[in-house]
Amino acid sequence: MKDIILKVENISKQYRLGTVGTGSLVHDLNRWWHQIRGKEDPYLKIGDTNDRSTKAESDYVWALQDINFEIERGEVIGIIGKNGAGKSTLLKILSRVTAPTTGSIKFGGRVASLLEVGTGFNGEMTGRENIYLNGAILGMTKKEITSKLDEIIEFSGCQRYIDTPVKRYSSGMYVRLAFAVAAFLEPEILIVDEVLAVGDAEFQKKAIGKMQDISKTGGRTVLFVSHNMAAVKSLCTRGIVMEHGKVKFDGGIDGALDAYQLNNSIEIETEYIGDNIIKRALLHTSNNSIKYKSDFKLDVFFESKNLIKNLVLGLVVKDINDVELIGVNNRHYQSDKINQQDVYKGYVSIFIKELNLFPGIYKIDLFLGDSTTDLEIVYEAIKFNILESFEYEVINSLNFKINKVFHENINWEYNS
Amino acid sequence: MNLKESTNATWLFEITPKNKFFSLHLKEVWVYRDLLFLFVKRDIVTVYKQTILGPLWYFIQPLLTSLTFTIVFNNLAGISTGSVPPFLFNLASITVWNYFTACLNGTSNTFASNAGIFGKVYFPRIIAPLTVVLSNLIKFFIQLFIFLCFFIYYYSQDALVSFNSWTYFFPLVVILLGILGLGFGMIISALVTKYRDLTYLIGFGIQLLMYISAVFFPLDLIAVKMPKYAWLVQYNPLAYCIEATRYMLLSTGAFPFWGIVYTLFFSIAVLFIGLLLFNHTEKKFIDTV
């Protein structure tokens, strides 16, 4: 049986745009008039989807729309999405700071939320007093705090200043102390919003380590919102991708990261137009993508006012995480036609037979130079997609997180 | 089906768009009692940090106000306080009046002044107004101590002041004032979250209220001097609390028994309405504050 600890059902959240004024009073009165006649709220029917960049057509906007998911005990979930996708609104509702407009959330355990470190810290009070105050705000009893006080102080690394008012602390110490309190919370469900983006590298590592402890050894459920993909990847087992107030993807963390990056950071561009020496680059594709193990053909058009001696044209193919996979130029290959050429203009075609990159998004940097220097470098000139194809099925079980390039000619020989 | 029921039974709590019509979360408040205590401590400890006179400010304010009242209302305007020294008469009234206004001011600002914390973490929101009432109660005790010092001084100077058997009921009057401050404060706090108009009203509203709350004159004086407008004071529950205080602490005037009974029902009604509105507001105020 599934052990569901958190169940989100049809959560939506509507916000009113603009300022509060007489207009909102009129709306309030209208809403109240509908309510006493037992009718539905007239403003719930309208409202735009949450897309920050488009112009509003209605006074209301749905920050969240029909969110549904279930979380099992012990899962560590990363919530990712662009700014304004509704992540923070969702966390606010989950941590009971604000209520949803419709829907309900059921909890099977105690919740503590960390939307900010050091909530309620009072500058006039000492570090020790603030540990108590902040701990109590986060839902600990005085007894619990007293029993963990030494650990908290040690974890924060602020022993020397613990009886000094926190307004005298450096901002780093302040954050360390605040996170230390939160780290020793023992709720069944912990909600964390991007609080790790503070403190130095050492402390961030410590904080992530602590969070891993909480989820792995403590068996507690963690919901984690962050833009730090490395942190999300190392912490979470499952990811929820949000876009325009809706759940775009819900599943394994690797799939979620891919879905997020596919949607948000990369737009497929198979043609590059430039105004320097490289005028145009064109990748031959069908429907903006290349099938796995099909031919790769890239044309690069160039024109220069000065003579280019010994033309060198190179390209670097990178994967989505900017890992360089292929780096070649025409000098590496003997092709008399373009080697040792002194030219003003022309175009170079690069042809790779049966490109053996695995399905995914790739980027190409272009380099054009002469015998001594690079004349032009275009980073990420081309972004393309390799699609799954029939052959892909065969090598399906390879680990795509490690393997980007398929090597056909590997032999395994067993000797005894 | 059976399985579904068994999982539903284990839900600890549920978030819904609106609170039930009336729920006090008393159990939750009990769980967070340490927070209440720590908030009260914070309010008391930090208020006069980095001031030279420190806690002395608790004494200075009521003493100077009483002195001013004595000069203006008793010496200049000639309001008679009977056999009681005017200064002591004013000090008694101001001590309890201050408690009420501090509660009212503090609780009516609940949402605005705690928006930072409320926006980041959940705890029963009612903790915040309760903190105000309790920390002001401690300040009230400090000011009551000053009153007692002056009481003893005047008593030793053979002034006609004394306690009486009603004095035992003085804590009840203080509780009534606390409830009134809390109730009215919560009503205002619920209303100002969206429309700020009331914040401007409350500042001078409290000042005007003082004039019809019999703070610096005996209750029967207004009936004699301005019978036409006496109802303003006679319907005011605060006037009865202050009159009762003076009777209990100084044995002056008459004990307004029915007035106190009226005040009791009035405060319970106000508290109920306050809780209702507060309950209605607390879930969504963060979107409008």
Side-chain angles (χ1 to χ4, degrees), chain A residues 86-149:
Chain A
K87 304 180 300 279
S88 298
T89 308
L90 181 62
L91 285 204
K92 272 188 182 172
I93 293 174
L94 286 172
S95 37
R96 301 171 78 186
V97 163
T98 185
T101 311
T102 63
S104 74
I105 304 171
K106 289 169 183 143
F107 291 91
R110 252 177 76 183
V111 183
S113 59
L114 220 60
L115 302 192
E116 174 189 71
V117 283
T119 309
F121 262 37
N122 188 307
E124 302 289 348
M125 289 163 74
T126 68
R128 193 186 301 274
E129 288 169 323
N130 271 307
I131 289 176
Y132 276 99
L133 188 62
N134 188 235
I137 288 175
L138 293 171
M140 285 195 263
T141 61
K142 221 177 152 187
K143 228 171 107 186
E144 279 179 88
I145 303 166
T146 307
S147 69
K148 288 177 189 159
L149 190 65

Side-chain angles (χ1 to χ4, degrees), chain B residues 94-107:
Chain B
I94 281 165
T95 305
V96 285
W97 173 251
N98 273 351
Y99 176 57
F100 169 76
T101 53
C103 288
L104 181 63
N105 264 327
T107 44

